[in-house]
Amino acid sequence: MNRIGCEEANLAIDPEVLSRLNSIVTSYFLESGDFNGIPAADLPRRAGFPDAQTRQLLETGLNSGVVELSFASKTGNPHIKRLPVEPVETQRALLATEDIAGICVYPSPASTSTVISQTYDDRPYTKRLALVEAQLVPVFFELIVLERYFRDPRFECWFGDSNGNISIGDKAYLSDDTPEKDKISFKFGIGYDPKRTRVVAVFLYELAALSPEHQQAFRSYEVKEPCVMNSDFERAMIWGLWGEYESVYNAFIQEQVEINRLCALIGKPALFRQTFEDHERPLGFSPMLRATGRDYQEFVHLLDKMLSDNINREFFRDDILLEEEVQRKDGRIEVRALNTITLLERWFSKRYRTSDGEDVAKTIVSSLRAVRKARQPAAHAVQGNVYDPTLPGLQDGILGEAKQGLTLIRWALTSHPRAKAYEAPEWLDGDKIVFF
């Protein structure tokens, strides 16, 4: 019988049995290694009470604040407390109807707090799990918490805009020179504070696996304001769903891939010498971790290398001159190579007009010129290495313009007669491209 029967409900619960239940559940939870719940079906054998009394005992434990219940029908795997438990009223209703084999029992925070004492004082996030917090509770930090890892060559770092992961590299892991405390790995995501400023989101179970030293370092950057996870990060990591949006960074990379595809269709060499799909994406091509002039300058420098410095001069050969003659002050003629932005502008000016006959070459290359200008030493001198909270927005702006410039190039190339069969990925021209 799945419901509590009249005869079962009339059984008296001995306070000693309830105390034994509390002790068994708490000990199992703390000694399991992963803060697991004990299967409800195992309790009669361990606690020494009749099987028929299990549901009534658990209901009494619920009402007394001694235990919490997790249900397979709600979490999939009740042995791990992935998410906060249901309200007591809901737990009580589920207890009356759910298969006992799909129920796991956890101690209350009050039960474990009297046992752990100072055991986890050097591991603040492990302590939170020991106090029965859910494994997938996100904790939020300032972006700068990641910087030490991104700038340490021992760590392998990947940042995919809404999420990323960091792990000690194989060479460093095997080296005797690497302290055990640094042999760590964790996943993270992006979140937002009340002002929509980006923050780092890390689940509690990831933090609890870090060494005490790294847990303490993380805690010093913890954001106390209420924050929320990026929706795509939450969808993927908690609910196992595909993301709904695409990042501007990925769209930028895909634009270059598509432009090179079009070049092949129209019989030209690739416009870009290198594309950065899959795992070739540069580590610094991501939202800045610290809002400083140095971080902004490093990003702009990288962006220019991916754009202007990445343009293949062979694309223009036989169509326009690659050099020009310049008269020096002494009257001599010097032959100088044209820069790639000028070549791109002159090529489009010669080869492309809108349906209205307008020359839009300057518009097409304007974003490339803006990136090149931001990279110049004079721009660096203005910014210096000052902290400026507006810089992440400035980075978003310059990247968004660069992506749009690539889109204009792609749209222009699709007008070529040999590109009639070309179809761009649907998402690339959709409305789901965002800055995470």
Side-chain angles (χ1 to χ4, degrees):
M1 157 181 300
N2 282 338
R3 299 188 61 190
I4 301 176
C6 295
E7 180 180 353
E8 180 181 342
N10 290 330
L11 289 171
I13 300 299
D14 188 331
E16 290 187 8
V17 175
L18 190 61
S19 177
R20 191 159 64 250
L21 169 69
N22 184 18
S23 177
I24 290 170
V25 171
T26 300
S27 296
Y28 186 94
F29 175 77
L30 293 175
E31 296 170 7
S32 65
D34 293 313
F35 302 107
N36 300 130
I38 185 170
D42 289 354
L43 285 174
R45 174 179 58 82
R46 289 175 177 268
F49 57 81
D51 287 357
Q53 202 175 1
T54 301
R55 293 182 192 272
Q56 186 187 4
L57 179 60
L58 290 178
E59 182 174 15
T60 303
L62 275 175
N63 294 337
S64 304
V66 170
V67 299
E68 298 176 344
L69 303 180
S70 179
F71 301 88
S73 64
K74 293 293 183 179
T75 68
N77 180 8
H79 300 274
I80 298 174
K81 188 178 178 181
R82 296 177 65 251
L83 300 170
V85 294
E86 304 286 337
V88 172
E89 296 78 9
T90 305
Q91 293 182 60
R92 190 183 298 116
L94 290 169
L95 174 62
T97 58
E98 295 283 308
D99 187 340
I100 201 73
I103 303 174
C104 281
V105 188
Y106 292 83
S108 67
S111 297
T112 62
S113 65
T114 61
V115 176
I116 62 174
S117 184
Q118 298 177 337
T119 306
Y120 300 103
D121 282 356
D122 62 338
R123 290 169 286 168
Y125 302 109
T126 309
K127 184 173 185 177
R128 288 177 60 173
L129 286 186
L131 290 172
V132 208
E133 283 199 60
Q135 306 248 347
L136 291 183
V137 166
V139 187
F140 300 96
F141 306 90
E142 298 174 46
L143 283 175
I144 192 176
V145 75
L146 301 179
E147 187 179 41
R148 64 177 293 189
Y149 303 105
F150 276 72
R151 294 193 180 276
D152 189 333
R154 298 176 303 166
F155 289 93
E156 294 179 353
C157 305
W158 176 81
F159 190 5
D161 308 321
S162 67
N163 65 93
N165 56 70
I166 292 172
S167 177
I168 193 73
D170 290 342
K171 183 178 179 180
Y173 183 85
L174 296 172
S175 173
D176 293 336
D177 295 330
T178 302
E180 287 297 319
K181 67 181 178 66
D182 291 334
K183 295 180 179 180
I184 62 169
S185 65
F186 63 93
K187 298 180 178 66
F188 65 89
I190 288 296
Y192 310 97
D193 71 9
K195 296 180 180 178
R196 291 295 293 178
T197 301
R198 294 185 185 104
V199 295
V200 174
V202 187
F203 290 122
L204 198 52
Y205 81 94
E206 296 277 2
L207 294 163
L210 300 178
S211 64
E213 293 84 357
H214 285 266
Q215 289 195 39
Q216 295 285 357
F218 263 86
R219 185 167 65 170
S220 66
Y221 292 103
E222 193 170 324
V223 177
K224 302 302 181 183
E225 297 174 285
C227 299
V228 295
M229 289 182 283
N230 170 267
S231 60
D232 273 4
F233 177 64
E234 180 179 352
R235 284 166 61 89
M237 300 304 295
I238 293 184
W239 309 114
L241 301 174
W242 289 103
E244 185 178 0
Y245 298 96
E246 290 284 350
S247 82
V248 177
Y249 291 86
N250 287 339
F252 176 99
I253 290 171
Q254 192 63 41
E255 289 286 8
Q256 291 188 320
V257 172
E258 298 304 315
I259 288 169
N260 279 1
R261 282 182 58 200
L262 282 162
C263 291
L265 287 174
I266 66 177
K268 296 287 295 179
L271 179 61
F272 295 104
R273 293 183 290 110
Q274 181 182 3
T275 53
F276 304 92
E277 64 270 39
D278 300 327
H279 297 292
E280 296 182 25
R281 172 174 165 172
L283 182 60
F285 192 61
S286 58
M288 63 172 59
L289 302 179
R290 187 200 295 257
T292 67
R294 183 185 68 181
D295 281 55
Y296 178 72
Q297 291 158 19
E298 288 180 354
F299 177 79
V300 169
H301 184 87
L302 174 60
L303 185 60
D304 193 45
K305 289 175 67 176
M306 296 173 71
L307 278 171
S308 304
D309 288 354
N310 192 27
I311 290 176
N312 179 16
R313 298 174 67 84
E314 291 302 308
F315 174 89
F316 309 103
R317 192 173 296 279
D318 301 327
D319 290 341
I320 58 174
L321 295 175
L322 306 185
E323 302 168 331
E324 65 179 355
E325 294 182 347
V326 178
Q327 187 174 8
R328 302 189 322 194
K329 291 182 179 180
D330 61 7
R332 295 184 179 182
I333 301 299
E334 178 182 350
V335 177
R336 295 179 183 174
L338 293 169
N339 67 57
T340 54
I341 298 177
T342 299
L343 290 175
L344 188 64
E345 181 180 353
R346 291 186 179 183
W347 188 87
F348 271 109
S349 183
K350 178 180 178 181
R351 310 283 292 190
Y352 176 79
R353 291 288 188 278
T354 68
S355 57
D356 297 328
E358 184 181 0
D359 181 356
V360 293
K362 288 186 181 298
T363 301
I364 289 175
V365 302
S366 62
S367 61
L368 279 74
R369 291 196 189 282
V371 174
R372 172 54 57 89
K373 182 178 180 180
R375 178 183 173 179
Q376 291 171 353
H380 293 190
V382 171
Q383 293 293 343
N385 195 32
V386 298
Y387 174 82
D388 184 347
T390 68
L391 287 174
L394 194 60
Q395 175 175 316
D396 290 350
I398 199 166
L399 175 63
E401 291 179 8
K403 184 270 174 191
Q404 189 59 30
L406 293 176
T407 302
L408 293 176
I409 294 173
R410 172 169 59 87
W411 287 348
L413 293 178
T414 56
S415 66
H416 194 284
R418 295 181 184 175
K420 289 182 179 179
Y422 169 79
E423 291 185 7
E426 185 175 348
W427 67 269
L428 201 53
D429 290 315
D431 60 358
K432 296 291 186 179
I433 298 174
V434 299
F435 286 98
F436 287 121

